[in-house]
Amino acid sequence: MESVLPSSNTDLSAENKEDEEVNMSKELDAGALFVLKSRGSWLHCGYHLTTSIVAPALLSLPYALSLMGWFAGALCLTVSALVTFYSYNLLSLVLEHHDQLGMRQLRFRDMARDILGPWWGRYFVGPIQFGLCYGAVIACILLGGQSLKYIYLLSSSRPEAMQLYQFVIIFGVLMLVLAQIPSFHSLRHINLVSLILCLAYSICATAGSVYIGNSTNAPRKDYSLSGSGQNRVFGSFSAISIIATTYGNGIIPEIQATIAPPVKGKMFKGLCVCYAVVLSTFFSVGISGYWAFGNQAKGTILLNFLVDGKPLLPTWILLMTNVFTFLQVSAVSVVYLQPTNEVLERKFANAKVDQFSARNVVPRLVYRSLSVVIATTVAAMFPFFGDINALIGAFGCIPLDFILPMVFYNVVFKPSKYSLLFWGNTIIASTFSALGLLGAISSIRQIVLDSNTYSFFANI
């Protein structure tokens, strides 16, 4: 009899827990219920985090270092790593705190609404996050098309036969298929492959830079900052925007929402997995690329591997690197589609009907496809979107990843105004507010300077 009672109590508590989960699911809208399913482990969280941060944008880090020089560039890389790891942990602690209070927040705009007020969620954080994520999707589709074109040029005897916009459309067709993956949690295996791929092309890029830097065909190494004093200053702020965007995430709450309860401590483990990959890839690619090419480093290090159309590395290495990049950028695109998918599901799906019923599948297919078609069209029309994306990064990544986490923590936990924690958070938020504004000005200036070279559907 004694052995039966504990088991009955356990069964009752399990049933109560199931009832609580059912009741909570009934209160969720379709976006949260269908897209942000809370079923993952901390390891799955690590895969999602890695894919959202360690993307092909890291191949532009040698260029960012060339705008700042050795000391300032390495310092900016290190400080950005420390600050983002710290800020993402602060966001996680705030989310865990609300979860323990029975108010689990699944979206960035939910955090802003509950902590700062409804206006901040609806009119500030929501639009900024949507613009950042959808801008990232457009940039990834463009980068995927460029990678396809690069592969085509290396393997075809008729390089003039196809234009960039055609490759962008081909990549967009692939995205039409991937966009139909139902939930963020469903991407866990894809994001594991993505983690392996980002390590693979980072190794290729680092090895390629070291090989070229030590070869007889090595370019002359000049680490001086090029341009006038004014150009150097604006170049430094542009580099800060590039590095901030590379470390940027913007979807930490949505990633933490995929973790099955209890969530306490799981996000920290996922961040440790992610930043092990971040440190091993960002620093190796950035430092080796800048060492090999100096102030001649181009927008992406892969462009330095070709001189006048002639490869400085064996063709098979260049092909392999671009295939890895192409495959991984498709996973990054799908990750950054999730906030858009969540908004579309919340608007057009019915949470009271099964996720895979015709009532929900048809709108999902139509509206997700439409969002990809629009993104693909913009990427094909504006192949100079990189300049615009730098502006989006300055207005999006810096507020969401470098400022708001500190503000949220101070407002929720209210550390003493005489404490180091309070002033540390305040100084970080204030410093990056200024840097974000200067980075935005620098990005706008660069768009104006490059505007004469812009043309729709340009084959660049």
Side-chain angles (χ1 to χ4, degrees):
M1 189 71 168
E2 291 177 359
S3 62
V4 172
L5 288 174
S7 115
S8 300
N9 291 335
T10 304
D11 292 340
L12 287 173
S13 63
E15 289 176 5
N16 291 334
K17 186 176 180 181
E18 288 178 3
D19 290 340
E20 287 177 6
E21 290 180 358
V22 169
N23 291 332
M24 186 176 73
S25 68
K26 289 179 180 178
E27 297 171 1
L28 295 176
D29 57 63
L33 190 62
F34 296 157
V35 179
L36 303 178
K37 292 181 178 179
S38 303
R39 295 180 180 177
S41 67
W42 65 266
L43 201 54
H44 299 150
C45 174
Y47 302 157
H48 300 322
L49 286 166
T50 303
T51 300
S52 64
I53 297 175
V54 189
L58 71 90
L59 298 175
S60 64
L61 288 176
Y63 172 69
L65 292 181
S66 73
L67 297 174
M68 303 183 77
W70 275 118
F71 178 75
L75 180 64
C76 190
L77 267 182
T78 304
V79 169
S80 296
L82 293 173
V83 171
T84 50
F85 184 78
Y86 174 68
S87 68
Y88 296 156
N89 271 294
L90 289 189
L91 272 181
S92 176
L93 291 173
V94 173
L95 289 165
E96 288 178 3
H97 174 74
H98 282 88
D99 179 57
Q100 290 171 351
L101 296 176
M103 300 167 53
R104 188 172 184 185
Q105 297 159 331
L106 303 178
R107 293 163 286 218
F108 221 131
R109 63 180 182 274
D110 294 344
M111 293 187 74
R113 180 198 65 210
D114 295 343
I115 296 169
L116 301 179
W119 186 92
W120 288 93
R122 181 182 293 268
Y123 298 109
F124 184 75
V125 172
I128 283 179
Q129 187 194 40
F130 183 84
L132 172 66
C133 293
Y134 201 65
V137 171
I138 296 170
C140 285
I141 291 174
L142 176 58
L143 183 56
Q146 290 172 336
S147 295
L148 269 180
K149 180 185 175 184
Y150 201 101
I151 294 168
Y152 174 75
L153 292 176
L154 288 171
S155 57
S156 174
S157 58
R158 298 176 57 210
E160 72 286 348
M162 293 185 69
Q163 303 291 306
L164 175 61
Y165 76 87
Q166 294 172 299
F167 294 104
V168 170
I169 292 171
I170 292 171
F171 189 83
V173 172
L174 171 63
M175 287 305 303
L176 279 174
V177 177
L178 295 177
Q180 308 309 323
I181 295 175
S183 68
F184 209 148
H185 179 64
S186 303
L187 300 176
R188 61 195 182 281
H189 301 304
I190 291 176
N191 288 341
L192 170 59
V193 176
S194 170
L195 187 153
I196 297 169
L197 288 170
C198 72
L199 288 172
Y201 67 68
S202 296
I203 291 171
C204 291
T206 302
S209 296
V210 172
Y211 174 84
I212 293 171
N214 286 315
S215 69
T216 55
N217 296 324
R220 186 175 65 87
K221 297 180 179 65
D222 183 0
Y223 303 113
S224 62
L225 299 180
S226 57
S228 64
Q230 183 184 26
N231 289 333
R232 290 181 183 181
V233 171
F234 281 108
S236 296
F237 290 131
S238 294
I240 291 172
S241 292
I242 291 170
I243 291 173
T245 304
T246 307
Y247 276 101
N249 181 285
I251 52 174
I252 289 292
E254 285 79 4
I255 291 176
Q256 186 153 333
T258 66
I259 300 175
V263 300
K264 186 173 179 60
K266 293 180 180 178
M267 191 67 167
F268 178 77
K269 294 178 182 178
L271 280 168
C272 288
V273 171
C274 172
Y275 270 76
V277 181
V278 166
L279 295 178
S280 61
T281 55
F282 282 30
F283 283 84
S284 61
V285 172
I287 292 172
S288 65
Y290 183 47
W291 169 80
F293 302 104
N295 58 17
Q296 300 302 310
K298 297 181 180 179
T300 171
I301 195 63
L302 298 183
L303 295 177
N304 284 102
F305 293 167
L306 284 176
V307 176
D308 298 327
K310 296 179 180 179
L312 299 177
L313 293 171
T315 303
W316 65 270
I317 293 181
L318 294 176
L319 278 171
M320 185 171 63
T321 305
N322 277 276
V323 168
F324 292 155
T325 304
F326 166 75
L327 292 173
Q328 204 244 352
V329 80
S330 62
V332 178
S333 301
V334 182
V335 165
Y336 279 100
L337 264 177
Q338 298 311 303
T340 304
N341 291 346
E342 184 273 323
V343 170
L344 293 173
E345 294 278 307
R346 183 169 59 91
K347 183 72 174 176
F348 299 108
N350 186 346
K352 297 179 180 179
V353 181
D354 183 73
Q355 180 182 8
F356 301 104
S357 65
R359 163 65 183 81
N360 287 329
V361 169
V362 173
R364 180 182 307 129
L365 179 64
V366 171
Y367 288 107
R368 289 190 183 189
S369 299
L370 182 61
S371 72
V372 171
V373 169
I374 293 171
T376 303
T377 303
V378 173
M381 288 180 64
F382 303 97
F384 46 84
F385 190 77
D387 285 350
I388 300 174
N389 210 42
L391 181 63
I392 293 173
F395 278 119
C397 285
I398 290 180
L400 295 180
D401 297 326
F402 293 85
I403 300 172
L404 284 176
M406 320 303 169
V407 175
F408 286 168
Y409 187 90
N410 282 358
V411 171
V412 170
F413 290 103
K414 297 180 174 58
S416 170
K417 293 183 180 179
Y418 301 101
S419 67
L420 181 62
L421 181 61
F422 174 84
W423 283 107
N425 289 343
T426 303
I427 290 170
I428 291 172
S430 302
T431 301
F432 279 94
S433 296
L435 290 175
L437 179 61
L438 293 171
I441 294 171
S442 179
S443 299
I444 293 171
R445 175 179 177 271
Q446 193 61 46
I447 290 172
V448 172
L449 291 175
D450 292 344
S451 60
N452 292 331
T453 64
Y454 294 163
S455 62
F456 292 143
F457 298 101
N459 185 34
I460 58 176

